[in-house]
Amino acid sequence: MGTRSGGLYVGRRAAAAGAALLLALLVALLALSALYGRCRQEAAPPPSPRAPGPAAPSPPAPAAASSLRRLPRHLLPLHYDLELWPRVRPGQEGPFAFSGQVNITVRCLQDTDAAVLHSSGLRSRGAAVRGPLSEPGAAVEVAGLRQDEAAEVAVLELRGRLRAGRRYGFALFFFFFFFFFLRRYILSDLSGLSSILIASQMEPTYARRVYPCFDEPAMKATFNIRIIHDPSYVALSNMPAIDVSEMKDENGSLWTVTTFNTSLKMSTYLTAFVICDFDYVTRTERGNEIRIWARKEAIKNGYVDYALNITGPIFSFLEDILNVSYPLPKTDLVALPDFGAAGMENWGLLIFQEASLMNVPSDDFTSRKAMIALIVSHELGHQAYIFFFQFKWFGNLVTMNWWNDLWLNEGLTSYFEYLGATFVEPKLSLDKIFYAHIVQPILREDSETARSLSQSEDKIKGSFSLMSLFDNITYSKGASVTWMLSGFLTEKLFIRALTSYLKEFSFSNANQDDLWTHIQMVIDAQDEVQLPAPVKQIMDSWTCQNGFPVLTVNLTTGTITQEQFFNKNNRKSTDSYNNTWIIPISWMKNGSSQPLTWLDKSSKMFPEMQVSESEYDWILLNVNLSGYYRVNYDELNLKRLTRLLENDPKAIPTVSRFQLIDDAFALTDFGYVPIETALELTKYLAREDELFIWNMVLLNLIPDHLESTLKNHEVYPLLKKYLLKRMLPIYHYYVGFIRQNADALEDDYFAQVYLEKFLATACWLGLQDCLDLSSELYAKWRDNPEYKIPILIRKTVCCYGIAMGSDKEWNFAWEMYNHTDSVEEDEDMLLYAMSCAKESWLLYRYLQYGLSDTLFSSNCTSVIISHVVTKDIGYRIAWEFVTENWPLLSQGYGHELLHDVLKVMGRFVRTDVQIQELQVFYNATLEEDERETITMLLESAKLENIERRKLLIKVANWLEKNIDD
């Protein structure tokens, strides 16, 4: 799952798409939504139109951790007969009632005179208990039904006792109003008509908001589902429909009744239904009917054809690699105009936001296709995850016992996501994408995160929030640790163990120890791979401890020491950082791969890793980032690796070059090594032709949020001279394609994702050819609005086309923004580009436009301010604008906008006088507690800026000495 909220959704337009969305999806793996919401009121073409009117209310907030009450184990659910009746008609304005009934067959495991089920927000219309079912006509009288909303349970108090070993039937009748979930979407741009759809999202604990149930992952049962709905809609659920009939309500109105086949055993969070007026496309793969549902307009235009074409092959790939057949006769994938996650793996009914499934047919190979392949592969992997599609073997076929082992669902699936995606798109470079989008970002995040991959059950039931488990630690660290596990086991043995695990626990529940047991069984049955300790001991060191290790290497003695990677700049004591891991070390010596070795204690000597006095004798650890850790080399080896990069960079594998430099900058940030150490590794960059390495270097040297700070610092001209000299070879290579045939880059995934940042940096550094190119392409667009600036650099071209121009260039962008045919991606891009103007009066006019209700919808004002405040000359203009217009702005945005602006202003605070200048304003606008918070933030920002200035002085000194090398 890639979501953080749940319940029933009545869909609206998903927020932005394109490369920004792709980056968010891949880097976060879960967080998968656009950077900004749509800010105009008119509808737009693909991937979907928007709904008119105000935004729908948000779904109710997730239950607090204190409400995660585990049910008593007196009763075990066996089967549900569930009827749901949403009283929704086309064109209806509300209110929207939802009624239903559920008959639950249970086995009594322990005598009891009360039955406790999960229920939240439901209103009871009565309850009855039949049984024991072996005695026809027998019943147990219900004395009362008590709802405990805080604990999210309903308690059936009985006048008799349920007896252990007997089966009983509970009948519960309920209704609720689902105004929280009401949303609309526009059917098509031409008609402007809106419609309603309903789509469930039960994970993790939202099934109890839809029907009374035993809402825990281990309490699996079979389901018969029946849905009553308006005849103009189609109803979908986990299983195929076996009957469609009609009925009349008490008023004589006609309704359609869709009955679905009996499901396999599954957890309540996987029950699913969609009620919509969509159309579909279909194909069959190995007897499994695959249908993709979407708005009729999207189906007609072929927007889901690519997703349809890859879903079947990914299914087959996962079946073959795991040797486990998909057990359902059909799979429906539904593209919703608005959905809180990239995808959800309900068994047999996978739900996605449109941006995760739709691709314009004219695109040959774009970053969007890669995103779709990843999402589909993720969610299909669940049917046995993966990041995007769900076929969920992990989590559907075998489910974790409790949410503390959620990573077994999402981490394993995220790993197979990348395998499945590269199977259907061989153009993707699996290792580079995995390390750039998964391993490197989570290493950055995990060093600051105080939680382990696997959580204790008590911690989740207590103060730990269940929803916080759906984070990058679960998804990305889980995938990274799985990658490492597969690496030291070999993929062959790993898959063999997974197959055994899946088959034993099919339609059942397991925890991570069960997986370790099956891996151990496979290891014990062969003699090719030898481990230094039992699998459980090795893997518990990675899943049950916070953080990850850094290896410090002394190659004069061959000694390697491990410690937890932590920020030495902020920690006075290392007492709490005494974890030890059992670490697989892949390594090479002088370009030759060496046998895998292990570090199973805090320090160990490896004589074979000692190097001689020869400058050509070098060692490289953690080859291709095969392990989840960082490496801190001694000065001797770093000098040799630096010289090797300058003379023969390809002698070090591509991913290892990426890792070597990223490790060095991370070690600098956390106080392990001086900044000069990392900078030495950048000298060779004129010979680096990999964009994904360049992207990592530029993010470290020129973070996006510090561009305006660096531009106003004396380090800027030094950076300009140093970097441009090294950027020119790869710059000219790619600009040659841009000028002659940009379409030739369609198969270059990293050009699709990273060329924009690279070109933007070249322009930011003042490379005249880059500025001329932007002006040239922008002028072509001005002269002929039908001309298409290459999409992979469109944002940069428009930004610098406006920056290098006058009010004519700005006015053209404004005209295009207001063009009736403009699509959302272009509008978001233009909102940003118009903030790039270099004339103060244009920026001030732009901000004034933002106040107009007739020119923008209200949520665009804050976006405009946020763009302008980050620009070189914009932060002062934006601050003056906010202070002058605060009475008006505060009505629409309150203090949230002020906090965002102050965060940016804080980057420029270095003195108490500057803090006092800001205080004059916010002392008059904020409450006392808020003033104290902001003061503390600004004080912290001042200290950070002072430290940053010290660092930049060191960088400047180093650049002055090495600028001509």
Side-chain angles (χ1 to χ4, degrees), residues 746-786:
E746 286 179 335
D747 288 349
D748 188 335
Y749 172 79
F750 287 112
Q752 296 283 328
V753 178
Y754 293 141
L755 188 56
E756 182 91 69
K757 165 69 177 175
F758 185 84
L759 231 64
T761 303
C763 285
W764 180 82
L765 289 169
L767 180 61
Q768 193 59 49
D769 187 75
C770 182
L771 299 173
D772 291 344
L773 174 67
S774 298
S775 298
E776 172 191 330
L777 296 182
Y778 191 80
K780 278 188 178 181
W781 188 33
R782 272 192 66 203
D783 294 340
N784 177 18
E786 298 300 316

Side-chain angles (χ1 to χ4, degrees), residues 13 38 42-50 189 297 820 822-824 827:
R13 170 82 171 98
R38 179 75 164 179
E42 301 85 38
S48 86
R50 288 156 297 117
D189 298 326
E297 183 183 49
T820 55
S822 60
V823 297
E824 179 181 349
E827 289 177 1

Side-chain angles (χ1 to χ4, degrees), residues 487-712:
F488 70 71
L489 289 177
T490 72
E491 185 174 294
K492 179 181 70 173
L493 295 182
F494 180 55
I495 296 299
R496 187 182 302 168
L498 280 180
T499 301
S500 171
Y501 165 79
L502 288 172
K503 287 183 176 178
E504 176 164 338
F505 293 99
S506 293
F507 310 109
S508 184
N509 300 81
N511 57 37
Q512 68 173 25
D513 283 354
D514 295 315
L515 179 57
W516 307 153
T517 297
H518 279 262
I519 294 175
Q520 189 67 57
M521 289 165 53
V522 169
I523 290 296
D524 293 342
Q526 55 81 55
D527 55 12
E528 295 177 22
V529 175
Q530 301 297 320
L531 302 180
V535 173
K536 174 177 168 55
Q537 186 179 344
I538 295 172
M539 295 310 299
D540 280 358
S541 75
W542 295 97
T543 63
C544 299
Q545 297 186 126
N546 297 348
F548 60 89
V550 55
L551 305 191
T552 299
V553 184
N554 183 331
L555 295 182
T556 302
T557 62
T559 302
I560 300 179
T561 303
Q562 66 162 294
E563 65 175 319
Q564 183 166 345
F565 187 66
F566 68 98
N567 194 335
K568 292 190 174 185
N569 298 318
N570 299 336
R571 306 291 183 178
K572 300 292 185 182
S573 170
T574 61
D575 292 343
S576 60
Y577 295 90
N578 55 4
N579 293 339
T580 300
W581 288 261
I582 302 177
I583 305 171
I585 302 177
S586 59
W587 63 294
M588 62 167 48
K589 188 170 187 177
N590 305 332
S592 298
S593 296
Q594 304 296 316
L596 183 76
T597 190
W598 292 82
L599 178 62
D600 54 2
K601 55 185 70 173
S602 60
S603 183
K604 189 174 181 180
M605 184 177 290
F606 298 88
E608 66 272 24
M609 292 190 187
Q610 289 177 313
V611 294
S612 68
E613 295 182 0
S614 169
E615 66 179 41
Y616 302 103
D617 203 10
W618 53 271
I619 296 290
L620 188 72
L621 302 189
N622 199 14
V623 178
N624 284 331
L625 238 176
S626 54
Y628 187 69
Y629 53 90
R630 295 195 184 277
V631 180
N632 182 15
Y633 294 103
D634 59 11
E635 186 177 352
L636 174 64
N637 197 59
L638 267 178
K639 284 184 177 179
R640 293 179 181 180
L641 291 174
T642 300
R643 186 180 297 109
L644 181 65
L645 284 172
E646 293 181 56
N647 295 329
D648 184 15
K650 300 293 185 180
I652 299 178
T654 304
V655 171
S656 289
R657 298 199 303 276
F658 175 99
Q659 168 209 356
L660 180 64
I661 301 171
D662 188 61
D663 278 357
F665 277 106
L667 289 164
T668 294
D669 292 343
F670 277 44
Y672 285 83
V673 300
I675 183 63
E676 293 84 355
T677 299
L679 292 173
E680 287 288 332
L681 291 170
T682 67
K683 287 182 175 180
Y684 88 100
L685 284 171
R687 303 185 65 180
E688 182 55 73
D689 58 4
E690 291 282 356
L691 264 182
F692 90 111
I693 294 178
W694 265 106
N695 185 73
M696 176 270 298
V697 172
L698 295 178
L699 288 176
N700 278 291
L701 288 176
I702 311 172
D704 290 340
H705 69 285
L706 293 180
E707 283 188 353
S708 53
T709 305
L710 293 172
K711 196 73 173 282
N712 293 292

Side-chain angles (χ1 to χ4, degrees), residues 29 374 377-378 385-387 413-421:
L29 255 194
L374 287 167
S377 183
H378 179 100
Y385 183 117
I386 268 194
F387 176 21
T413 308
S414 295
Y415 166 76
F416 279 95
E417 163 192 337
Y418 281 82
L419 297 183

